[in-house]
Amino acid sequence: MEILSSFILLGKGILSCLTLQNLLCCTIGSLIGSLIGVLPGIGISGTVAILLPVTYGFDPLTALIMLSGIYFGSAYGGAITSILINIPGEATSIVTCFDGNPLAKKGKGGKALSISAISSFLGGCIGIIGLTIFATMLSRVALQFGKVEFFAIIIFGLVLLTTVASKNMLKGLIVVCLGVLIGCIGLDEVFGSLRFTFGVVDLFKGVEFVTFIMGVYGITELLFAIAGEEESGEIMNYSKADLYPTKSDFKAIWKTVVRCSCLGFGMGLIPGCGGTLATFFAYGLERSLSKHPEEFGEGSIVGVAAPEATNNAAVYGSMVPLLSLGIPFSSSMAIMMSAFIVHGITPGPLFITEHPDLFWGLIGSMLIGNIILLIINLPFVGIWASMLKVNFSILMPIITMVTFAGGYAINGSVFDLGVMVVCGFFGFFLNVCGYNMAALAVSLFLCGTLEDAFVGTMTLYKGNLLSAFINRPIGGVIFLAAIIFFLYSAGKNFYNFAKTKNTK
Amino acid sequence: MKRIISVMLVLCLSLMLFAQGGSEAAAADSSGAWTPKGGNVNIIVPFGAGGSSDLTVRAIVNNGAKYFPDTTLVVENVPGGGCAIGLTKFVTSKPDGFTIGNTSTPMVVLPTSTTTQPYVYYEMVEPICRSAVSTFVVYVRSDSGIYNLEDLKNEILSREMILACNSKGGNSHWEMEYFAMKNGGDVTAVVYDGGASAIAAVLGGHADITVQAPNDGREYVRSGDLRAIAVLNTERLTDSVYADVPTSVEQGYPWLTNVGFQGFSLPKGTPQNIIDFYRECFRNALADPVIMEETEKLGMIPAYLDADEFSAFIDESVANYKEIFSALEGRLD
């Protein structure tokens, strides 16, 4: 009964959004969002932060609608760069590169884009349904995660990374450790001590994740182009028919989309890193369930649909603690929260009961934003895909320029550009040696939370990890699962290695 | 070979970018009036965008442009390390009048409470003014059975209490360590990455106590999830949510007060005429009723002090904190 009344309220919320002004703002928001989101380096939180002042003059609901348009628009824009030029804008769209970029290189960039738009849309819809039903019910879930649980989850995530992101587990393990080491650069968050900074003030803040990504993806790609590893100069050919998915494509992805959306929403409830880990988890899951696991990494449409459905659904999962408790667990959620505060709304435990009109209006606007995004982006697929028809020698310099501009825009710091270039060379050599960049980047991303959780666990349990896991059984079980998974993968890897050696 | 050469060329070209950076040797002329001549003036805020400290600075920047002639104020957020990163960046920047620092309590607390800070920030600034003060509130879960500091004291003495704090040695950490020590007990401090996460930890039962700014805990007191047991000041808060919350002084702990401050400074060595320019600007801006109202909305109390008074206030705070932290003897590290 309660669920039914939720949907009635959602209906009212959608209706309140359907004024000409709100629809216009939503459309403009999604359009600008996806255009800015395409620029590498700016990402979701950057885009929202840049465009936040634009909404100052509007009434709260209109402003929120525009912001959610911007938010989802930029999330979609991030997928465009992942697919077309192999530069992910956010941690959550790294996995989209795995299959999206190979598809684009095969001349099927258009199809990859429309698959990503459609799975994002469906993932978003399932996420919204989840938010409608569970917002109040699951509000306390995020609070159950303490330092011990976080530590266990991140360890599990890192183990997952060693196997999902690279074929050779040993190499995966090496890059994951390397990523954690790079993440240690700078002032540590807990004790304030300096590490690996050599007295350089600009290094105190550490290597920023987005700068790092732009380096190891953007600059590395450029270096590959120079080194001639790619078939440069070749003009991609594609036919109109290849732009949009066919019936059989839909048949191939619908189960994936539903599965991954549910997974994404569920894992999105884990504060902080849930969404990013969920994309890897979904990709690994789909690969093991697929009848053609060999296609993954070579340009499988399922490999694009899985992470895109997951990361969109995960956004709604992570909105649960923000809207029901007023606690933002990620930087993009923190910016959304400050946007709320600017408009005089303080999200807190009483937000849903005191401002039901705004809450349901916001959820309604998300649904409308998703629909508008799909409508305005599908026709653009052809335009974006035709970007690949541009001669490589013209496209590459433009990408370089945009990469540098984006790298500078993050903090307005020239030093960051240097970091980016160094990361680029670093990534280039690692890539040549067959190491996987995704595992490197994500382990860097997780490093801060890992350390925070580890130090917290150690403080709470006086340095006794065993007693921590006995006292917090959920964390203990996850940690145990991580160890078993690690040993299993290592054993399998070793077995395969021995087999190939014998056959030789 | 050709490929290697071209890779090297790209490297050289990108390195050239750095050669260009920062060498405008503007000879500082300390005689006569000074203005930035329309140039961008960065205000370094050592907190992330959207926090209450950031918003108080933005309230001045957004509403006070008319008080800063020939100046374009730009807010630069440099968060991390419990303000250490932003403060380091500020005190090591050039004293040419184009960088202003948003210098608040951590400037004094960080270098006096811990030994790991790269600089003694408060010695490296030219104060412009204090803009506002704020106070802190002690929160516990409402099902905890703790109603006042007396209950808290007994609880601390009878079992291990966990304190959720925002940074080691900073505000939100030392108060409860000091309270426990003075009463002959101890608390276990666990660091969270900000007020919201620390509150979430208390709500979720991972920690027992947290000390936060009134605005951060307000919604949870209203909803009945948290209980505010003490305001760490000599006066109660005017906000209706906190009107019934007694101060620590009322509860018989006059040594347990903590008044945070917000202010602005220039890097040490800035010529006097530049300092005078900003003193004038900020004096006018901070008297603006709109800015005062916005500041109050953010849970701060406007409390302007001019450069000399602010300087004396900083010295007083340093002496005060030093006394407390030397009594704590490394408990904060």
Side-chain angles (χ1 to χ4, degrees):
Chain A
M1 201 54 223
E2 207 178 305
I3 293 172
L4 192 68
S5 68
S6 295
F7 278 99
I8 294 171
L9 286 166
L10 175 64
K12 274 187 193 163
I14 295 172
L15 287 179
S16 68
C17 295
L18 288 176
T19 64
L20 187 63
Q21 189 196 10
N22 289 350
L23 283 179
L24 199 67
C25 283
C26 193
T27 313
I28 295 173
S30 348
L31 202 61
I32 302 179
S34 39
L35 286 179
I36 296 191
V38 166
L39 299 175
I42 296 186
I44 298 176
S45 31
T47 313
V48 176
I50 293 168
L51 296 176
L52 180 59
V54 179
T55 67
Y56 281 164
F58 301 157
D59 75 273
L61 186 60
T62 312
L64 290 187
I65 289 170
M66 187 160 181
L67 282 169
S68 62
I70 293 169
Y71 189 97
F72 296 110
S74 59
Y76 179 71
I80 298 179
T81 53
S82 296
I83 291 169
L84 293 183
I85 53 175
N86 203 16
I87 304 177
E90 292 277 326
T92 47
S93 52
I94 288 179
V95 179
T96 314
C97 293
F98 290 4
D99 282 282
N101 196 246
L103 273 173
K105 284 190 176 137
K106 283 184 191 164
K108 288 185 182 165
K111 188 178 260 183
L113 285 176
S114 46
I115 291 270
S116 120
I118 291 164
S119 359
S120 296
F121 170 72
L122 294 173
C125 289
I126 292 175
I128 289 168
I129 294 171
L131 191 58
T132 308
I133 301 174
F134 298 120
T136 42
M137 241 185 273
L138 294 181
S139 68
R140 306 271 147 167
V141 169
L143 296 180
Q144 302 311 313
F145 292 91
K147 297 277 183 193
V148 181
E149 288 79 13
F150 268 121
F151 178 62
I153 287 169
I154 304 237
I155 290 293
F156 191 85
L158 291 179
V159 171
L160 199 69
L161 275 180
T162 60
T163 54
V164 172
S166 46
K167 290 190 180 99
N168 183 332
M169 192 172 167
L170 190 63
K171 284 188 171 176
L173 204 59
I174 291 172
V175 280
V176 164
C177 294
L178 211 55
V180 171
L181 267 183
I182 297 173
C184 287
I185 295 177
L187 204 71
D188 96 89
E189 293 283 335
V190 183
F191 297 104
S193 45
L194 293 168
R195 296 178 301 203
F196 309 127
T197 54
F198 306 104
V200 180
V201 175
D202 291 274
L203 269 181
F204 284 14
K205 67 177 189 304
V207 176
E208 213 154 319
F209 174 68
V210 186
T211 316
F212 186 75
I213 278 207
M214 313 262 300
V216 297
Y217 282 93
I219 303 291
T220 299
E221 195 82 351
L222 167 74
L223 293 174
F224 268 116
I226 296 172
E229 289 271 320
E230 315 244 323
E231 306 92 87
S232 50
E234 187 196 322
I235 294 171
M236 305 280 182
N237 285 313
Y238 65 88
S239 60
K240 271 267 169 334
D242 257 358
L243 280 183
Y244 298 103
T246 57
K247 235 183 196 164
S248 64
D249 289 340
F250 273 117
K251 245 187 184 160
I253 63 162
W254 78 268
K255 271 188 195 155
T256 299
V257 168
V258 173
R259 250 194 317 257
C260 291
S261 306
C262 298
L263 177 80
F265 182 78
M267 284 189 74
L269 291 169
I270 302 172
C273 50
T276 309
L277 286 182
T279 53
F280 280 87
F281 198 65
Y283 189 81
L285 182 75
E286 288 306 317
R287 190 169 59 187
S288 58
L289 289 176
S290 168
K291 286 187 189 114
H292 309 283
E294 73 284 352
E295 277 181 13
F296 279 74
E298 306 294 328
S300 154
I301 51 166
V302 179
V304 177
E308 281 301 302
T310 312
N311 64 24
N312 268 274
V315 169
Y316 297 95
S318 60
M319 279 208 175
V320 170
L322 175 69
L323 294 175
S324 61
L325 285 175
I327 297 172
F329 279 112
S330 69
S331 59
S332 47
M333 284 299 135
I335 296 221
M336 284 300 267
M337 171 134 169
S338 68
F340 288 8
I341 293 171
V342 164
H343 289 284
I345 305 150
T346 317
L350 300 176
F351 175 63
I352 300 178
T353 39
E354 286 182 352
H355 301 279
D357 47 327
L358 274 174
F359 174 73
W360 294 107
L362 179 67
I363 294 186
S365 79
M366 291 169 184
L367 190 64
I368 292 172
N370 262 300
I371 296 171
I372 289 181
L373 205 60
L374 189 69
I375 295 172
I376 60 174
N377 273 309
L378 282 183
F380 278 127
V381 163
I383 301 176
W384 287 119
S386 62
M387 209 174 92
L388 293 177
K389 280 201 288 187
V390 176
N391 200 313
F392 220 60
S393 57
I394 297 170
L395 188 62
M396 223 52 218
I398 296 176
I399 292 177
T400 312
M401 236 166 64
V402 173
T403 309
F404 271 83
Y408 182 75
I410 301 166
N411 286 319
S413 142
V414 182
F415 186 83
D416 280 357
L417 293 182
V419 172
M420 194 173 89
V421 172
V422 171
C423 292
F425 276 88
F426 184 61
F428 177 73
F429 289 113
L430 282 183
N431 239 320
V432 169
C433 302
Y435 291 95
N436 185 287
M437 288 303 106
L440 183 68
V442 176
S443 52
L444 169 77
F445 177 76
L446 295 175
C447 175
T449 327
L450 173 70
E451 191 183 359
D452 180 72
F454 179 66
V455 173
T457 305
M458 285 312 192
T459 322
L460 281 171
Y461 293 94
K462 309 278 179 286
N464 188 345
L465 205 58
L466 195 67
S467 92
F469 287 131
I470 291 169
N471 281 303
R472 309 277 316 177
I474 300 175
V477 168
I478 299 172
F479 192 71
L480 199 66
I483 294 175
I484 292 170
F485 187 64
F486 180 78
L487 291 176
Y488 166 74
S489 317
K492 207 172 89 179
N493 232 276
F494 186 72
Y495 175 74
N496 285 346
F497 176 72
K499 211 169 69 179
T500 45
K501 217 178 177 187
N502 278 343
T503 47
K504 261 178 196 170
Chain B
M1 194 59 207
K2 241 183 192 170
R3 280 171 192 167
I4 295 172
I5 292 174
S6 32
V7 169
M8 289 300 153
L9 264 177
V10 174
L11 180 68
C12 292
L13 282 173
S14 21
L15 284 176
M16 272 166 65
L17 275 170
F18 301 93
Q20 295 184 359
S23 59
E24 316 134 35
D29 178 13
S30 59
S31 59
W34 179 91
T35 73
K37 301 195 176 62
N40 282 353
V41 174
N42 273 1
I43 301 186
I44 296 183
V45 178
F47 297 93
S52 56
S53 306
D54 173 59
L55 293 175
T56 44
V57 177
R58 284 178 196 271
I60 297 170
V61 172
N62 294 341
N63 303 305
K66 54 179 176 283
Y67 302 110
F68 292 84
D70 278 344
T71 313
T72 314
L73 292 174
V74 180
V75 176
E76 186 183 355
N77 297 100
V78 189
C83 290
I85 296 174
L87 285 171
T88 301
K89 182 159 187 189
F90 162 62
V91 295
T92 53
S93 58
K94 256 185 292 170
D96 55 5
F98 288 94
T99 309
I100 301 177
N102 167 231
T103 44
S104 49
T105 331
M107 162 176 87
V108 175
V109 172
L110 289 179
T112 43
S113 70
T114 58
T115 48
T116 49
Q117 293 297 319
Y119 297 101
V120 181
Y121 309 111
Y122 58 83
E123 285 177 356
M124 298 176 69
V125 300
E126 302 278 4
I128 302 174
C129 66
R130 184 182 79 177
S131 57
V133 292
S134 59
T135 184
F136 296 89
V137 178
V138 183
Y139 297 98
V140 294
R141 244 185 338 278
S142 38
D143 59 11
S144 64
I146 300 169
Y147 291 87
N148 50 44
L149 289 176
E150 194 63 34
D151 294 347
L152 183 64
K153 184 181 106 183
N154 296 333
E155 198 82 8
I156 287 176
L157 291 176
S158 65
R159 69 180 177 100
E160 189 194 2
M161 296 279 274
I162 295 159
L163 167 74
C165 59
N166 305 358
S167 63
K168 276 261 175 206
N171 290 318
S172 83
H173 180 197
W174 71 263
E175 299 96 336
M176 283 299 110
E177 290 274 6
Y178 193 50
F179 180 72
M181 188 206 73
K182 280 264 200 178
N183 287 308
D186 201 359
V187 290
T188 304
V190 179
V191 180
Y192 287 84
D193 63 353
S197 304
I199 286 175
V202 175
L203 289 176
H206 306 288
D208 303 299
I209 331 162
T210 190
V211 178
Q212 301 293 341
N215 254 30
D216 290 340
R218 192 172 184 278
E219 291 302 307
Y220 309 95
V221 174
R222 247 162 40 85
S223 70
D225 287 301
L226 292 184
R227 181 181 302 123
I229 57 167
V231 176
L232 300 182
N233 201 355
T234 45
E235 284 160 42
R236 289 193 182 195
L237 288 161
T238 48
D239 188 330
S240 61
V241 174
Y242 294 108
D244 296 331
V245 181
T247 65
S248 49
V249 178
E250 279 176 61
Q251 299 186 40
Y253 301 95
W255 38 267
L256 187 70
T257 57
N258 188 19
V259 177
F261 65 86
Q262 278 278 329
F264 296 91
S265 304
L266 291 161
K268 190 98 194 161
T270 307
Q272 192 58 44
N273 57 348
I274 299 179
I275 302 174
D276 290 340
F277 170 77
Y278 287 116
R279 265 170 91 166
E280 182 69 26
C281 298
F282 276 103
R283 182 187 305 132
N284 297 333
L286 291 170
D288 186 289
V290 177
I291 292 175
M292 286 175 95
E293 193 195 333
E294 295 252 320
T295 310
E296 270 174 26
K297 252 197 232 164
L298 293 162
M300 306 265 184
I301 307 149
Y304 173 80
L305 283 184
D306 195 20
D308 303 330
E309 297 161 306
F310 184 35
S311 192
F313 174 82
I314 291 174
D315 291 343
E316 197 184 307
S317 305
V318 169
N320 191 12
Y321 283 121
K322 269 190 178 158
E323 195 189 316
I324 291 169
F325 295 139
S326 66
L328 281 167
E329 276 175 356
R331 278 185 185 222
L332 301 178
D333 276 335

